Amino acid sequence: MTTSPNISRRQFLAGTGAGCMALAGAGFAQPAPQPLPLLPLTDLATQPQERLHLALQEGQHNFGSGALSRTFGINQNHLGPVLRVRKGQTLPFDVSNGLDEVTTLHWHGLHIPGDVDGGPHQEVAPGQVWQPDVPITQRASMNWFHAHTHGRTAQQTYRGLAGVMLVEDDDSLSADLPKTYGVDDLTLVLQDKSFDANGQLHYALSEEVFEEGFLGETLVVNGVAGPTARAVPQGWVRLRLLNASNARFLTVSLATGSVIVIASDGGFLAAPVEVAEITLSPGERYEILVDMRLQTRNSLQVTYGGGEAAGLFEGLWTRLLGGAAAGPQTALTLTQDPDLPAFTGTLPTRLAVLPPAEPELAQRSRSFTLNMGGGEDLAVLAANWGNICGEAGGMGINGQPMNMETINEQVRLSDTEVWRINADEDLHPFHVHGCSFRILQQNGTPPPAYAAGWKDMVHVEGGWSEILVKFDHPAPKEAPYMYHCHILEHEDCGMMGQFTVA
Ligand code: C2O
Ligand code: CU
Ligand code: CU
C-alpha cells in the first residue's frame, strides 16, 4: 500500500470522529433497541400476477433519531418493498419516476436481457414511466434493485432507492427450511449511514470520499438505526442479509454459536456451511440460519470493515475514537417466543447440485485492472464523460473511465469465460450484470466455502481474483450490461465498463 491513501484515510477519519461526537448529543450513542421494521412484502409467488407499480418518490423518514430526514423511497418514504416472485413468471412493471431528477432502476442479480436490466442506459425522466417485462428464469435467490443513474448511483441509492427481490422456485418452496416471511424468514437490509448534529441523514462528496467511498458511522437495519430486536419462534430462523451500503464491508457473526450459511448471491450452496463469521461487501447477499430451538436469545453482530484494509481502518479508528466503533455492534437481537409457529424440522444436508467450476470450460479469458489515482489524463477523461469525481480522481478500468458511448467488451452469447480482475490497491467489490458466476481464486487461493456457490460479486483485495462466468442472455449495444466496482462512489467516479452479449 502506498502512503497517500493512508494519509487521506486518516484525514477522513478525523472528520468522521467529529461527526460522531455531535451524534452522541443527537441520541445515537448507546441507544435502546428499536423494534425491527419489516420491508412490506408483495407476494407474487403465490398470487395471480398483475402489473406491478413501483413509484420512485421523495419522502421523509425517521431513522430512529426522532428527526425527519429527506429521503427517497419506492412505494413508500424510504427504501422499497420485498417482492417475492417465482421462477417462470414474467413480471410487467410500471416504474414511475416521481423525483425531480433522472433515475433508473437496476435489477441487481437477475439474469435478464440488457434492455430490461435497468442500467444507466434505461433512464427514466421525471414524470415518466418505464415499463419493462422482467422474465424470471433463474434459480431461487435473493436479489435486489437500486438506482443506477450515470454519475448519481451513489447518492440516489444512499437516500433510499433500494428494495429486495426474492426469487423462489420448486426447490426452494419445497425445501425443509423456514420460509414464513416476517416470522421465521426475515429479510435484513444492512447499511451504514451518517447523520448530522440534528439527527438528519448526511451525505457529502469530497476527494476522500471518492477514494474510500462514503462511510457512515451508524449501522442501519431496514431503515432504522441499530440495535433492533424481534421476537421469533422457538425453532430455526432464516435471515436473508443484503449489504446495501455504499462502500462499507460488513462482517457478520452471532453472539452465540456459529453462522450457518445456506445461500449466496445467486442461490443455495451445495450444502450448509458453518463458519464463525462472514464478510459482505456492498452489494452482496447471504442467507443464514440461526438455531432458536434451545436458546431464548441470540444476536446478529456486525463489525465494520473486512480483510486487510479493515485492519488498518480499525486500528486508526480505535486510536481516534477510543475504540468506539471498532468492535462488533448488535444489529438485531432475536428473542424466543414459544407462541409463534415454528419450523423445527431437520435441516437438509444437501441444498443444491452445483456443477464443478472448471476453468477448462471457458472459451476465452479477459483481464480487467481497476485503476485508482490514475492521474490527470484519466481524471480529465472521466470528467468529460460525466463521471462525478472529475479532476479529483482518475478512476477507471483498463485505463478507461466509464464512457456511455463506448462498448468496452463484446461477449458471445452462451460462451463461458474466465475473467481476471486485478487491483493493486485496497479492497474492491467487483460486480457483473446479467449473470451469476463462480469464484475460482482470490489471490491464488480458492474462495471461502460460503462464497464457492453462485455469486455476482467478488472481493478483489490488493491483488487479483478470478471468476468463471457464462452469459445466457443478450445485451445489445443500445442496452449493454455493466461491470463495475460496487463501492458506489468508485462506480460513479468511472470504475465501470460496458459489454454486449450477442
Ligand atoms: Cu448493484 Cu451495477 O449494480
Ligand atoms: Cu447489477
Ligand atoms: Cu472500488
Side-chain angles (χ1 to χ4, degrees), residues 106 108 144 146 148 431 433 482 484 486 491:
H106 164 60
H108 179 136
W144 65 304
H146 61 80
H148 212 310
H431 170 54
H433 284 208
M482 305 292 134
H484 58 89
H486 220 287
E491 178 203 325

Side-chain angles (χ1 to χ4, degrees), residues 210-211 370 372 395 425-430 484-491 495:
F210 286 125
E211 200 167 287
L370 311 182
M372 282 186 80
M395 294 194 193
E425 270 180 45
D426 295 332
L427 178 55
H428 305 266
F430 188 80
H484 58 89
C485 178
H486 220 287
I487 291 178
L488 296 180
E489 288 77 14
H490 287 182
E491 178 203 325
M495 200 180 279

Side-chain angles (χ1 to χ4, degrees), residues 26-277:
F28 274 102
Q30 312 286 333
Q34 320 213 30
L36 174 75
L38 298 181
L39 298 187
L41 175 68
T42 300
D43 194 349
L44 301 165
T46 51
Q47 284 164 19
Q49 233 174 288
E50 29 186 88
R51 285 201 80 75
L52 201 72
H53 185 200
L54 295 181
L56 313 184
Q57 59 193 59
E58 288 184 25
Q60 296 212 325
H61 177 70
N62 176 3
F63 286 88
S65 64
L68 287 174
S69 296
R70 291 178 53 230
T71 50
F72 291 161
I74 304 173
N75 293 351
Q76 54 183 358
N77 284 327
H78 180 62
L79 296 176
V82 170
L83 308 178
R84 195 160 166 271
V85 308
R86 191 168 181 159
K87 182 180 174 181
Q89 290 179 317
T90 294
L91 308 164
F93 283 104
D94 293 323
V95 179
S96 62
N97 181 1
L99 310 177
D100 281 337
E101 54 193 88
V102 159
T103 191
T104 79
L105 197 65
H106 164 60
W107 314 102
H108 179 136
L110 292 195
H111 304 184
I112 52 177
D115 57 1
V116 291
D117 185 54
H121 291 267
Q122 280 110 46
E123 286 190 344
V124 194
Q128 295 303 113
V129 181
W130 179 52
Q131 298 190 300
D133 287 335
V134 176
I136 306 297
T137 60
Q138 69 205 85
R139 63 188 69 77
S141 48
M142 179 187 192
N143 302 284
W144 65 304
F145 41 98
H146 61 80
H148 212 310
T149 320
H150 186 42
R152 301 188 68 84
T153 297
Q155 28 192 318
Q156 292 184 343
T157 304
Y158 183 83
R159 280 184 73 179
L161 290 188
V164 172
M165 184 187 282
L166 306 178
V167 174
E168 302 286 356
D169 62 12
D170 292 347
D171 292 341
S172 70
L173 291 170
S174 64
D176 264 334
L177 290 170
K179 43 173 110 71
T180 310
Y181 185 83
V183 179
D184 58 11
D185 182 350
L186 304 176
T187 292
L188 304 180
V189 178
L190 305 172
Q191 296 173 298
D192 63 326
K193 301 278 180 205
S194 187
F195 295 90
D196 64 19
N198 301 318
Q200 285 172 327
L201 188 64
H202 166 73
Y203 184 82
L205 294 169
S206 66
E207 214 164 308
E208 285 71 36
V209 169
F210 286 125
E211 200 167 287
E212 301 298 326
F214 188 86
L215 299 168
E217 69 290 329
T218 306
L219 178 69
V220 167
V221 186
N222 289 353
V224 305
T228 63
R230 178 95 186 165
V232 293
Q234 183 174 6
W236 290 97
V237 176
R238 179 181 189 167
L239 303 180
R240 310 203 199 208
L241 309 175
L242 160 66
N243 181 355
S245 302
N246 277 27
R248 180 79 78 181
F249 282 68
L250 302 173
T251 297
V252 169
S253 61
L254 294 174
T256 309
S258 45
V259 175
I260 300 173
V261 189
I262 57 168
S264 56
D265 305 333
F268 287 125
L269 303 179
V273 169
E274 212 176 316
V275 280
E277 58 183 38

Side-chain angles (χ1 to χ4, degrees), residues 289-351:
L289 295 175
V290 185
D291 187 353
M292 292 297 290
R293 291 173 303 175
L294 296 177
Q295 54 198 354
T296 53
R297 186 185 182 87
N298 204 344
S299 295
L300 186 78
Q301 311 273 38
V302 171
T303 307
Y304 282 170
E308 208 174 74
L312 172 69
F313 181 81
E314 281 166 14
L316 290 168
W317 187 288
T318 309
R319 260 186 286 142
L320 286 161
L321 301 181
Q329 320 180 44
T330 298
L332 170 65
T333 296
L334 302 172
T335 52
Q336 190 195 63
D337 178 350
D339 293 335
L340 293 170
F343 171 81
T344 53
T346 314
L347 297 181
T349 51
R350 306 297 305 168
L351 293 163

